[in-house]
Amino acid sequence: MPQFPMRRSLALCLFVGTLSLAPGIFAQEAILEGERFHPVVGEHGMVATSHFLASQVSHDVLEAGGNAVDAAVSAGFALAVTQPRSGNIGGGGFMLISDESSGEVIAIDYREMAPSAATETMFQDADGNAVTERSRFTHLAAGVPGTVAGLAMALEKHGTMSLAEALAPAIDLAENGFPLPQRFVDGIRDARANFEPWEASRAKFFKADGSDYQVGEIFRQPDLAATLQRIADNGAQEFYEGETAQLIVAEMQAHDGLITLEDLSAYQPIIREPSHGTYRGYDIYAMSPPSSGGAHIVQMLNILEDYDIGAMGFNSAATIHVMAEAMKRAYADRSEYLGDTDFVDVPLDGITAKAYADELRQGISMDEATPSTSLAPGNPLPYESNETTHFSIVDDNGLAVSNTYTINFSYGSGIVVDGAGFLLNNEMDDFSAKPGVPNAYGLIGGEANKVEPGKRMLSSMTPTIVKKDGDNFLITGSPGGSRIITTTLQVLMNVIDHGMNIQSAVSAPRIHHQWLPDEIRIEDGISPDTIALLEAKGHTISLQDAMGAAQSIMILDGEYFGGADPRRSTSSAMGL
């Protein structure tokens, strides 16, 4: 097999805890001054993914003359091999593509869909109570996967390579294997209980004697290699109508799942118009429904635009306060209005309107927190995972790709399709099992996101592209379940409001509020004095694990700057 050097950006060696330095150290000029939090630099393009092998594959495609979409599709399939906890062909996601030559920004929705036999009450017991395990760790938890169809559509419409060429590196990695990094080994050990009930899962992730793989050992996936080879030989429809489809249906029939051959053959990705807004002279493009992310990124930025965030200071008490207040109001609206626009009317124009933000801002006091119990969804008329992975890629011909995809939980349902070698998603948990009952991320859902046959479940995935004067400027997004939207928001604010270079913007400590529970979740690195000031305003503060992994790229003065998120030990940015 070709040798993929385990190159890792200098950014991965940086310690996030040192970010208590003065905000001025993050100025854009630091890019040229050798600042310790400097990004990776490229002259002809940039890739940033959550796994160094996928970054290398993507880099090699660009170097060989492929465009950003070619590199993105190749990275997507490579991640399905090297990072099974979130990379996938058994899940789905969203891709944004910005083409400077045409001025277009398009969104490809390849989110999973509910099977035709799905019902509104399928995750409730006889008394109408939500049964959480049923929507998470059974075959009922799987929506019809969209990744293969979505990546193939992107390649066909905007790429230059064949699907077989894009799949070749992933097939090689699956067949010949790769040395296991620490994160992979730790993840498998942590998820053992979810794999144990399923023979195919145990066979894939553990040795023949049931023992764990060790760091540095070669991990091979022959069943997955064969599946990818069938797709390369016969096209994307092989997954939906060929032998792979038969294997999926056999798995469903053996364990009371719902996905049928008819469900698979009927699946189609959809080209959608991205959510769009403006912020301080920048154009913000992000994923539209069934993602809630784009609408609420724009909504929160609209609320925050009236404050002088830069003068208020990076992660000061005042800045965090208004951010949390904006987040509360956006997530309250999310609980009521957001869903699949093919099934429900979503007041998208209202949610993203500057006038609506002005109205919401009137309820924000600088002196005290607004209790979430006093906030209900607003009236935005008129109508119109945690283990996810994101990657960003740009080429030197004005093409940029922001892609986020997932199987929902870490390793999805934990169920490997017997004979096919890939994990099933558990995205059905992203529907409202029962309106008003929180999902696994604590998010409240309403009627707009109830289970219906053929419907795409609501998502927080927020691939985002920022443009300045018509040119691509910032490509970002993140995993993180309910924290995806706020993570992406803060990367944008760190660059636009606080003048950070892209690596600093990605590495900086984050906060999160999602309306309910009524608390500001924070990472390490927020000053104790700041926390005390927030508590004095009435906020509840909760110190939690790191949030997100925002693999990001910034384009400045004709150069490409990559920021690999140090919250993932395998993250890597590579420039050309």
Side-chain angles (χ1 to χ4, degrees):
M1 68 178 289
Q3 296 300 306
F4 294 102
M6 293 190 184
R7 294 172 53 188
R8 293 167 63 184
S9 115
L10 175 63
L12 300 183
C13 302
L14 303 175
F15 178 51
V16 177
T18 60
L19 284 163
S20 56
L21 299 168
I25 203 164
F26 299 125
Q28 290 290 3
E29 289 77 12
I31 293 172
L32 303 179
E33 293 174 359
E35 168 56 44
R36 64 191 298 187
F37 283 92
H38 70 75
V40 174
V41 183
E43 296 181 353
H44 301 290
M46 180 66 61
V47 304
T49 86
S50 57
H51 199 288
F52 47 87
L53 291 177
S55 291
Q56 188 67 58
V57 164
S58 184
H59 172 277
D60 291 348
V61 168
L62 289 179
E63 196 168 52
N67 68 18
V69 173
D70 297 326
V73 173
S74 298
F77 284 120
L79 284 165
V81 177
T82 60
Q83 193 168 284
R85 68 196 301 157
S86 52
N88 70 82
I89 59 170
F94 304 125
M95 180 183 288
L96 253 60
I97 303 173
S98 174
D99 185 353
E100 288 180 352
S101 63
S102 67
E104 282 189 311
V105 181
I106 68 155
I108 299 178
D109 171 4
Y110 59 97
R111 182 70 161 150
E112 303 90 335
M113 296 173 64
S116 57
T119 66
E120 181 179 351
T121 59
M122 64 185 287
F123 299 122
Q124 299 175 22
D125 63 19
D127 297 322
N129 300 309
V131 184
T132 56
E133 295 300 297
R134 192 182 299 169
S135 64
R136 299 175 188 178
F137 301 113
T138 73
H139 288 70
L140 293 174
V144 180
T147 294
V148 173
L151 295 182
M153 172 185 276
L155 192 66
E156 180 181 356
K157 292 183 176 295
H158 302 280
T160 66
M161 299 171 62
S162 69
L163 183 59
E165 289 171 324
L167 276 160
I171 294 169
D172 199 17
L173 285 163
E175 184 173 5
N176 294 301
F178 57 93
L180 291 180
Q182 187 71 55
R183 183 168 182 258
F184 189 110
V185 171
D186 291 344
I188 295 299
R189 287 173 180 164
D190 292 344
R192 177 180 276 274
N194 294 339
F195 299 139
E196 288 287 0
W198 314 107
E199 182 178 352
S201 301
R202 295 194 305 272
K204 178 181 175 74
F205 290 115
F206 303 107
K207 297 178 182 178
D209 63 0
S211 62
D212 295 326
Y213 283 95
Q214 303 300 314
V215 174
E217 291 187 326
I218 302 300
F219 185 67
R220 296 180 176 87
Q221 302 168 80
D223 285 348
L224 179 57
T227 295
L228 296 174
Q229 188 64 60
R230 287 194 299 272
I231 297 168
D233 292 340
N234 301 295
Q237 280 307 108
E238 195 287 327
F239 185 91
Y240 298 93
E241 297 177 356
E243 181 180 343
T244 305
Q246 296 284 351
L247 291 169
I248 294 170
V249 172
E251 182 74 28
M252 290 290 151
Q253 292 175 343
H255 300 284
D256 300 320
L258 297 184
I259 297 175
T260 65
L261 282 175
E262 289 74 20
D263 291 325
L264 288 163
S265 63
Y267 182 87
Q268 292 292 331
I270 299 175
I271 295 179
R272 299 191 187 275
E273 183 177 345
S275 294
H276 174 249
T278 60
Y279 186 66
R280 308 195 195 283
Y282 293 85
D283 283 287
I284 314 296
Y285 294 91
M287 191 63 207
S288 48
S291 168
S292 61
H296 295 312
I297 285 279
V298 172
Q299 180 184 17
M300 290 185 288
L301 289 173
N302 285 344
I303 294 171
L304 293 166
E305 192 169 27
D306 202 49
Y307 299 99
D308 191 348
I309 299 294
M312 290 163 65
F314 167 67
N315 274 355
S316 68
T319 296
I320 292 175
H321 170 71
V322 295
M323 287 168 61
E325 292 296 303
M327 291 172 185
K328 288 180 193 178
R329 286 156 174 81
Y331 277 80
D333 281 352
R334 183 189 191 279
S335 72
E336 177 74 15
Y337 298 113
L338 269 292
D340 184 350
T341 50
D342 293 338
F343 282 74
V344 296
D345 289 329
V346 176
L348 197 57
D349 285 350
I351 287 171
T352 58
K354 300 281 189 183
Y356 181 52
D358 293 341
E359 177 187 325
L360 293 176
R361 197 184 306 109
Q362 297 308 308
I364 298 176
S365 165
M366 290 302 298
D367 298 323
E368 59 183 359
T370 308
S372 289
T373 52
S374 71
L375 291 175
N379 186 29
L381 298 176
Y383 265 89
E384 297 240 64
S385 135
N386 196 32
E387 278 294 347
T388 300
T389 192
H390 175 85
F391 53 86
S392 300
I393 300 173
V394 297
D395 62 31
D396 60 359
N397 291 312
L399 204 59
V401 176
S402 179
N403 188 90
T404 314
Y405 71 166
T406 187
I407 48 176
N408 201 21
F409 289 9
S410 186
Y411 306 102
S413 63
I415 301 169
V416 169
V417 176
D418 192 13
F422 62 86
L423 285 156
L424 291 170
N425 68 82
N426 55 2
E427 292 293 356
M428 295 294 285
D429 187 67
D430 275 357
F431 282 119
S432 302
K434 183 179 181 181
V437 175
N439 73 356
Y441 301 102
L443 289 171
I444 305 295
E447 287 288 328
N449 191 39
K450 68 183 179 182
V451 181
E452 296 181 75
K455 189 177 186 179
R456 298 169 198 251
M457 58 291 293
L458 187 60
S459 173
S460 295
M461 291 186 290
T462 315
T464 300
I465 295 176
V466 178
K467 301 182 75 169
K468 179 67 173 174
D469 300 326
D471 294 333
N472 297 326
F473 171 67
L474 177 62
I475 299 89
T476 190
S478 179
S482 61
R483 280 86 65 190
I484 291 173
I485 303 170
T486 53
T487 292
T488 306
L489 172 77
Q490 287 165 89
V491 173
L492 268 59
M493 294 178 68
N494 289 346
V495 170
I496 296 172
D497 288 309
H498 302 300
M500 296 186 191
N501 69 49
I502 193 61
Q503 186 60 59
S504 300
V506 164
S507 300
R510 296 174 184 145
I511 68 107
H512 170 76
H513 203 304
Q514 62 181 50
W515 179 48
L516 296 173
D518 192 357
E519 64 182 24
I520 301 178
R521 174 175 174 157
I522 66 170
E523 294 181 330
D524 273 323
I526 306 296
S527 162
D529 292 340
T530 298
I531 293 172
L533 290 170
L534 289 166
E535 290 176 334
K537 292 178 183 290
H539 292 288
T540 298
I541 307 298
S542 176
L543 179 63
Q544 298 282 344
D545 294 338
M547 293 178 273
Q551 320 300 342
S552 305
I553 298 170
M554 185 165 65
I555 306 170
L556 191 66
D557 297 330
E559 289 190 289
Y560 305 90
F561 301 93
D565 200 316
R567 292 165 182 81
R568 296 289 187 271
S569 61
T570 53
S571 296
S572 171
M574 296 183 184
L576 281 74

